[in-house]
Amino acid sequence: MTLDRIAPALFVLLWSTGWIVAKYASPHADPLTFLSLRFTLAAVLFAVITFASRAVWPSTRAGWVHAVVSGVFLHGIYLGGVWWAISQGVPSSVSGLIAALQPLLTAMVAPIIVGERLTGSQRLGVVMGFAGLSVAILPRLTALDTSTLQIALLPLLVNVFAMASVTAGTIYQKRYLQHGDLRAIAALQYVGGFLVVLPLALLIEPMRIDWNLEFALAMAWSVFGLSLVSIMLLLYLIRRGQVSRAASLTYLVPPAVAIESWFLFGEALTIPMIVGTVIVVFGVWLTNRKTRVIA
């Protein structure tokens, strides 16, 4: 079995655990403070890997800048915005629904930015993915108290901005970082993320960290499972396939989180979630299956 075949499923499985680890980490550290330490450790880890494997760093100043700027979008603004929004009261179901808008936005702007066009079946897959996710999550949204949504208006807007940021970062990655060693690029991208979250943490957070076992385990998984393995898979998918096809995988993340939460925390797995997941899986298959792409 080749990496091309298993990478999408492995990416979804690993990336979905980000919501699980956040649940463990949130009582023990402020979100931007946690991310600041996570990005520091990830950048150091990738730098060590790059030097140890004698990988080639970007040969031009533009290459370094492009890697750092993509990290600002992919890590700093996106993860920083999502983690802060959730810490301010945005429900995970709402945050997941907002994140699922990314493939639609990517599919709309990719033809303009990078000249990428989807076939009819791929466009249908994107729409089906959004429809399936709506079936899975809308019942939860309608059950939310109106006053709760009003209080969370600013965090909701930040969450939307974060979704737009990861879309911009994905397209930026596709346009300017098609070449170069992914290990070196990843190290610089975490530097870019760090340059966003640390100043914000210093500005708006007390930078609280409770140094205990749960915090250490959450940080270890965040660095090695999420920042190392899953990000390398995402960069690999972006380089090997279409931007819109890679982005469509995010449709599977919220249903995966729901299943993991049911298994680990006993949260209810509803009929709409199950039906929506089936529709999502079919939509993602349509978007990612090998078809002739219109140039």
Side-chain angles (χ1 to χ4, degrees):
M1 184 176 292
T2 65
L3 181 60
D4 281 346
R5 289 183 177 273
I6 67 173
L10 185 58
F11 167 74
V12 169
L13 177 62
L14 292 176
W15 193 248
S16 66
T17 64
W19 276 263
I20 304 301
V21 76
K23 183 171 183 177
Y24 284 112
S26 59
H28 307 295
D30 293 322
L32 299 180
T33 301
F34 184 94
L35 290 177
S36 297
L37 182 56
R38 170 183 165 181
F39 292 165
T40 299
L41 295 175
V44 171
L45 176 62
F46 271 106
V48 170
I49 292 174
T50 300
F51 283 117
S53 60
R54 298 183 179 181
V56 179
W57 293 88
S59 58
T60 64
R61 178 182 297 180
W64 285 70
V65 171
H66 287 319
V68 171
V69 170
S70 66
V72 167
F73 290 116
L74 290 173
H75 301 317
I77 300 176
Y78 172 57
L79 288 179
V82 169
W83 278 56
W84 181 84
I86 292 176
S87 74
Q88 295 299 307
V90 174
S92 297
S93 58
V94 177
S95 183
L97 180 61
I98 294 172
L101 298 177
Q102 182 209 344
L104 289 181
L105 184 58
T106 302
M108 287 188 294
V109 301
I112 302 172
I113 304 298
V114 296
E116 210 178 73
R117 297 180 61 188
L118 299 179
T119 65
S121 63
Q122 287 175 321
R123 288 193 292 269
L124 176 62
V126 171
V127 174
M128 287 191 65
F130 181 75
L133 197 62
S134 298
V135 170
I137 294 179
L138 279 178
R140 294 186 179 185
L141 296 182
T142 57
L144 293 176
D145 185 76
T146 304
S147 61
T148 301
L149 289 177
Q150 291 175 344
I151 294 173
L153 179 59
L154 177 59
L156 279 170
L157 293 176
V158 171
N159 209 147
V160 171
F161 183 73
M163 180 273 297
S165 175
V166 75
T167 301
T170 302
I171 293 175
Y172 190 95
Q173 168 93 17
K174 181 71 174 180
R175 183 170 186 178
Y176 294 109
L177 294 170
Q178 271 296 89
H179 305 288
D181 193 282
L182 291 178
R183 292 161 292 187
I185 290 173
L188 295 173
Q189 286 178 327
Y190 282 114
V191 172
F194 175 81
L195 293 176
V196 173
V197 296
L198 179 61
L200 289 174
L202 290 169
L203 182 64
I204 66 176
E205 292 182 349
M207 302 191 73
R208 173 185 59 88
I209 293 180
D210 299 329
W211 299 94
N212 54 36
L213 180 60
E214 285 194 4
F215 170 80
L217 291 175
M219 181 61 69
W221 179 252
S222 294
V223 172
F224 291 99
L226 296 173
S227 295
L228 177 61
V229 179
S230 64
I231 288 299
M232 287 299 292
L233 285 171
L234 176 60
L235 298 180
Y236 175 83
L237 288 168
I238 292 173
R239 178 166 291 185
R240 294 284 292 179
Q242 289 180 297
V243 171
S244 302
R245 291 170 65 187
S248 70
L249 294 171
T250 60
Y251 277 137
L252 290 176
V253 172
V257 174
I259 294 172
E260 291 163 9
S261 298
W262 166 74
F263 179 76
L264 295 172
F265 307 124
E267 296 182 5
L269 190 60
T270 63
I271 295 298
M273 180 64 71
I274 296 173
V275 173
T277 298
V278 173
I279 299 174
V280 166
V281 169
F282 185 67
V284 172
W285 175 78
L286 279 178
T287 306
N288 285 274
R289 66 174 181 161
K290 293 184 181 296
T291 56
R292 183 177 60 88
V293 179
I294 302 174

